[in-house]
Amino acid sequence: MKRNIKIIAVVLLMAAASCSFTTKKFDDPNKDKLLIDLITYVLNQGHYDAKDINDNFSANVYEDYLEGLDPSKRFFYAEDIKEFDAYKSKIDDQIKGKNIDFFNLTYGRLGKRMEEARSLYKEILSEPFNFDENEKINTDYDSLEYASSKDEMKKRWEEQLKFNTLITYYDLRQDEKKKKEDDASYEMKSDADLEKEARETTLSNIDRYYDFTDDLEREDYFSVYINAIVEEFDPHTFYFAPQDKDRFDIAMSGKLEGIGARLIKDSDDITITEVISGGPAWRSEEIGEGDVILKVKQSDEKEAVSIVGMRLDDAVDLIKGPKDTKVTLTVRKKVMGNIEEVTLTRDVIEIEETYAKSSMVKKDDRRYGVINLPKFYFDMTDYDERNAASDIKEDIIRLKKEGMEGLVLDLRNNGGGSLKTVVDIAGMFIEEGPIVQVKSNGARKEVLKDEDPQVLWDGPLVILVNELSASASEILAAAMQDYKRAVIIGSKQTYGKGTVQNVIDLNRWLRNNEMGDMGALKITTQKFYRVNGGSTQLEGVKSDVVVPDRYSFVDIGEKDQENPLPWDKIDAADYSIWNGYVGYDEAIEASKKRMSTNDQLKLIEENAKWVKTQSEDSSYPLNYAEYAQQAEKDKEMAKQFDAIKDYKTNLTYTSLPYEEELFTTDTILKEKRQRWHESLSKDVYIEEAINVLSDIQMNNITRNKLADVDGKTKVKN
């Protein structure tokens, strides 16, 4: 497919234009103040809908920031808030004056209150709880006032710790009963012993939380403050501290340079939780899950650096590195406990879960393809590297080679990604025409088109979506719906994110920067519109066939976020409906009829309603008998929904030949695909998508105008 230079220009608009806003100098020697000055200037100059930074703005930032610091109101006192209130209408002035007094005050006070709470929870958990008392806990923290005294704060911590312990205590008692039922000779532990064990578990969990917060530095909390400011502009504008930006790049590209191991910090240990198949650690066969990394030595260093007790982010920075460089790890093995040195050559690691995956399924002697796309991934530094569009193209060609007669594209839970990949993928299903319209504030709209008349797949197409299908997913689903090219099956509406973000490297604004990496700002610069002129903002894409799912009654869409941009519409682009189908509307109606009588979907809907009801409860008993009674009632209710996970279709899914070859050496990939195929065989939504594919009738007159050329179909002159 020909590259559309205009598309690239739109995607990179802010990155290219950001240096031309002004000749303003950013030279404050205080990094925090410099960062505020830099970010607020870029926001005011480049955001699609820049806000006035005034007293109202200040009050909103104030509320969101304090909620971010202490959401359960177990650290700050009412007297603290009274002191903080002096800044409620002055944060705007502080921003404009590059003043960080409010942040310094709250940061210092939080540290003090957290230390007080550390001794408080240890004291509370040193004594047994009495679960015979008739007490309740309110977990609706928004409705709680801040504690006005130390006694009130202690009471609040007691309630929370008692509730956490009660949950574990109940589970332990149930386990003991089960062991006794299975073995009459088993001697059950006493209630006192179980209560102590439950308390120790709660203590361990809180200690682990404090281990995490102990690793946080001032700059981590300052990022919370910065994001309370930038998110006031809209929910998708976000400041990335340097390490956060690295994670974002990895998430978008699915690639990183390192040894290929996932790590966690447990107490002072940096422990390997997973070895990524295909990476240096996996190939070496010398490192495994559960091993603890004690020291790290670079190839140009004489002495290794101990990472015991180090922040996880700092340890990761030492372990990862450029491709083809060597790193030596001192490792304590999980099984024998022996200590070994392992030298690995770093490489580019591909995180398999990021990428599209495909499968073939048979139904009534016809073969259908299923492609799952987790996100519209791409390499932010080089689009020609592996991306969602190039992978989808390869998968379709492979599926066609195996005799595919219909395609399901699964975009459920796909939160978006690259705008260009959407246009490239959409162009695989139509001859040519507009895919999406993009508009900057005050500028004329630009229509992003597929200008290649070749069609990679001209057969039946179904797209699956849900409430978490967002942004790029909505562009693709909307375009295919407007063209009547695909049948959209899924939630009542998708997420409703109709905005475009660009990531701006903040370092580009600074000359002779001695402050270190300033991070990056993801900023909303444009809105996108369907080819019919409508916006997906707030409203999302409404499915042709609406089916309930577990998210049906949960408030998780754009309309449920703070500060979303409004819905609007523009003129439609010039496009023609796809004429490759006969009975398109009839196939949709047949699906609606099937879905309305599907017992599995009725059960899923009832379960979603029940989960919604459960989530609305905010008052829980701290009395064991009352808690146990409610738990048993909930357990019996939950049994009614066991049939959901027991559902089984008569469809069997298989990997394509190229993956079957990989399985001979990559058993991890084989196991992942087996688990995926097992879930597909229980998936009522995929089952219905296959039914719709079999119902869709093709317009053979149109198809006969097309000839297959190198895996594509091309319009004949």
Side-chain angles (χ1 to χ4, degrees), residues 359-375:
S359 181
M360 185 67 80
V361 59
K362 282 185 179 180
K363 181 177 184 291
D364 300 331
D365 296 324
R366 299 178 66 185
R367 298 168 70 83
Y368 302 100
V370 176
I371 298 178
N372 174 271
L373 184 64
K375 64 181 64 176

Side-chain angles (χ1 to χ4, degrees), residues 519-548:
L521 184 68
K522 179 162 66 77
I523 180 173
T524 297
T525 58
Q526 299 165 310
K527 292 179 77 173
F528 65 78
Y529 301 84
R530 305 170 66 131
V531 294
N532 69 9
S535 172
T536 62
Q537 179 65 10
L538 304 183
E539 292 193 357
V541 177
K542 295 174 172 55
S543 298
D544 298 313
V545 180
V546 176
V547 287

Side-chain angles (χ1 to χ4, degrees), residues 154-171:
K154 184 177 181 181
K155 177 66 174 175
R156 188 165 295 183
W157 272 92
E158 283 177 341
E159 288 177 350
Q160 186 64 56
L161 295 172
K162 187 174 185 179
F163 183 49
N164 293 355
T165 304
L166 175 59
I167 294 171
T168 305
Y169 177 61
Y170 171 79
D171 290 340

Side-chain angles (χ1 to χ4, degrees), residues 80-98:
D80 297 323
I81 302 304
K82 184 177 180 180
E83 187 175 353
F84 299 160
D85 275 347
Y87 293 90
K88 189 168 186 177
S89 62
K90 295 179 181 178
I91 295 175
D92 56 323
D93 302 314
Q94 296 234 317
I95 292 170
K96 293 169 185 175
K98 294 187 292 181

